């Protein structure tokens, strides 16, 4: 296990940041980031709490393999009482934020209370500060990351932030990290916005410690060999991304279409991973230490970039971004009866930039 054995507890109301030891008994009993953080949430939070009140807590959690070379283990989870459902939310995201958090020496960040004014959290290893984010409030995710990187001036800083949707407490707002990766479900972005927390910027220069590095790496090489041999992880996902599922599921008669009134979409091929790869793909992209690399870097060239009225807003002039994933493809595509891949790509970028869950938005 690669536990840092350390928690960062941030009380935004009091403006305090303190380290405390990870409860290793719980870490062994409630294995994994979701289980462990849920245990902390249940023990520390009144189940009747309003999700958007200062008394609700939000936990950003890594797991026992985060920060190691395990494929797909670089993720982190956000656990809180969700704004959308009123139940325990666990929204997870890929990219590099989870790894950076572990490298900074923290298994979890527990956020409590509400800041008096818009704020962001700056973590550089064991140096932690709550800083003014008034100048960032109202900015989109992409604008926030750009301005924070320039302001901090620390290379390789990783940022998780909310967009205007989270600030305005949209119930399906998400937390975005690495510009395009989303902790998307259950309104965790609204909870973050309710705490007046615009962003968390991280830089970790440490690493992880393993009890038996040799045995662990032997297991990792064996696992990665299996990933290279399996058709889905060796060919399907790296070549076409998660959108490879559009045609597969449509052919099985199970693609959510026109508000679930139908299960087959006649224009599925138009929004499929195959079509995206052939016409709009720039490159595939991997999350930390993952050999699958199913992420999609996409572009809208020429007229494809300017045919939508939303593009008249200067913040939307971008002609490159990431996605969509399969879930966004059915939610904003087939589910809405839309077979225009360019419209789907553009809308997905807008959801990411505004900090809205593309699945809930489509639905």
């Amino acid at each position: 296990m690669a536990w840092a054995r350390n928690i960062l507890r941030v009380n935004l109301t009091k403006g305090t940041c303190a380290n405390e030891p990870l409860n290793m008994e719980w870490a062994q009993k409630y294995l994994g980031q979701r289980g462990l953080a849920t245990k902390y949430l249940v023990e520390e939070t009144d189940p009747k709490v309003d999700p958007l009140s200062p008394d609700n807590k939000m936990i950003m959690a890594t797991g026992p393999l985060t920060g190691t070379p395990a494929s797909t283990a670089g993720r982190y989870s956000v656990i809180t009482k969700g704004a959308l459902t009123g139940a325990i939310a666990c929204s997870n995201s890929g990219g590099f934020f989870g790894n950076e958090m572990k490298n900074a020496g923290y298994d979890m960040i527990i956020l409590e209370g509400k800041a008096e004014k818009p704020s962001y959290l700056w973590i550089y290893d064991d140096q932690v500060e709550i800083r003014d984010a008034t100048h960032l409030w109202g900015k989109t995710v992409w604008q926030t990351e750009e301005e924070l990187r320039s302001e901090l001036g620390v290379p390789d800083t990783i940022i998780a932030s909310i967009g205007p949707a989270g600030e305005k407490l949209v119930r399906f707002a998400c937390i975005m990290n690495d510009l395009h990766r989303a902790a998307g479900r259950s309104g965790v972005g609204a909870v973050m916005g309710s705490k007046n927390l615009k962003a968390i910027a991280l830089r970790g220069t440490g690493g992880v410690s393993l009890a038996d590095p040799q045995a662990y790496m032997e297991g990792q090489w064996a696992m990665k060999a299996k990933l290279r041999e399996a058709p889905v992880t060796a060919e399907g996902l790296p070549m076409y991304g998660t959108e490879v599922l559009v045609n597969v599921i449509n052919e099985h008669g199970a693609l959510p279409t026109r508000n679930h009134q139908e299960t087959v979409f006649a224009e599925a091929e138009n929004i499929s991973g195959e079509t995206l790869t052939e016409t709009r793909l720039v490159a595939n992209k991997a999350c930390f230490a993952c050999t699958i690399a199913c992420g999609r870097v996409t572009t809208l060239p020429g007229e494809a970039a300017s045919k939508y009225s939303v593009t008249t807003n200067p913040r939307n002039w971008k002609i490159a971004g990431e996605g969509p994933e399969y879930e966004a493809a059915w939610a904003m595509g087939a589910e809405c009866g839309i077979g225009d891949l360019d419209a789907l790509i553009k809308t997905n970028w807008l959801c990411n930039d505004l900090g809205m869950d593309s699945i809930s938005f489509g639905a």
Side-chain angles (χ1 to χ4, degrees), residues 40-347:
Y40 270 87
L41 183 73
V42 168
E43 291 294 332
E44 297 186 8
T45 308
D46 183 345
K48 296 180 181 179
V49 70
D50 184 328
L52 300 179
S53 80
D55 293 331
N56 190 18
K57 297 189 180 186
M58 189 177 85
I59 303 173
M60 290 181 155
T62 64
L65 299 183
T66 311
T68 74
S71 290
T72 76
R75 309 183 71 82
Y76 77 100
S77 292
V78 182
I79 293 86
T80 186
K81 185 173 184 180
L84 184 63
T85 63
I88 295 175
C90 177
S91 188
N92 73 87
S93 178
F96 291 78
F97 188 85
N99 170 69
E100 203 71 17
M101 188 170 144
K102 188 65 75 73
N103 284 342
Y106 304 105
D107 295 308
M108 296 195 303
I109 301 171
I110 300 179
L111 297 154
E112 305 171 331
K114 177 180 180 179
E116 184 178 351
K117 60 184 178 181
S119 304
Y120 74 91
L121 190 63
W122 169 228
I123 303 171
Y124 195 160
D125 293 331
D126 58 356
Q127 302 173 40
V128 184
E129 298 177 42
I130 301 172
R131 294 185 174 184
D132 185 10
T134 304
H135 60 299
L136 299 171
W137 206 250
K139 301 290 179 67
T140 67
V141 167
W142 296 356
Q143 290 170 331
T144 298
E145 283 219 17
E146 183 180 5
E147 292 192 27
L148 263 184
R149 289 181 188 283
S150 176
E151 178 179 322
L152 294 168
V154 178
D156 300 321
T157 295
I158 304 298
I159 297 167
S161 67
I162 58 171
E167 296 173 9
K168 295 178 182 296
L169 309 183
V170 172
R171 295 280 175 160
F172 54 90
C174 56
I175 299 172
M176 301 296 303
N177 59 279
D178 301 271
L179 289 179
H180 308 285
R181 300 289 96 197
R185 310 314 309 273
S186 303
V188 295
V191 175
M192 188 163 163
S194 74
K195 297 186 175 302
N196 267 341
L197 186 63
K198 178 65 175 178
I200 298 175
L202 266 175
R203 181 68 180 104
T205 61
V208 297
S209 298
L210 296 165
D212 190 340
Q214 182 175 348
Y216 181 80
M217 289 310 302
E218 288 175 356
Q220 280 305 308
W221 290 124
M223 184 199 74
K224 289 180 185 293
K226 290 184 178 180
L227 291 177
R228 289 193 299 271
E229 295 167 0
V232 172
T233 51
E235 298 176 12
L237 288 173
M239 185 173 295
Y240 301 116
T242 57
E243 271 219 280
V244 71
L245 292 170
V246 170
N247 279 334
V248 172
I249 292 177
N250 192 60
E251 289 166 8
H252 279 78
L255 187 66
T257 302
R258 294 187 173 84
N259 200 26
H260 281 72
Q261 296 179 88
E262 302 169 22
T263 57
V264 174
F265 187 42
E267 298 177 75
E269 178 64 36
N270 296 344
I271 61 171
S272 68
E274 290 85 344
T275 299
L276 184 146
T277 298
E278 292 169 5
T279 64
R280 297 291 183 257
L281 183 68
V282 176
N284 61 342
K285 185 176 180 181
C287 297
F288 175 77
C290 187
T291 54
I292 300 172
C294 64
R296 307 284 91 184
V297 180
T298 48
T299 185
L300 289 176
E303 292 184 1
S306 59
K307 64 182 180 181
Y308 303 108
S309 59
V310 70
T311 308
T312 58
N313 187 321
R315 84 173 181 217
N316 300 326
W317 285 348
K318 301 177 185 70
I319 61 169
E322 288 188 30
E325 303 288 342
Y326 162 72
E327 298 284 357
W330 72 253
M332 299 191 297
E335 186 78 320
C336 295
I338 296 172
D340 184 334
L341 179 61
D342 293 340
L344 184 56
I345 291 172
K346 186 73 173 182
T347 309

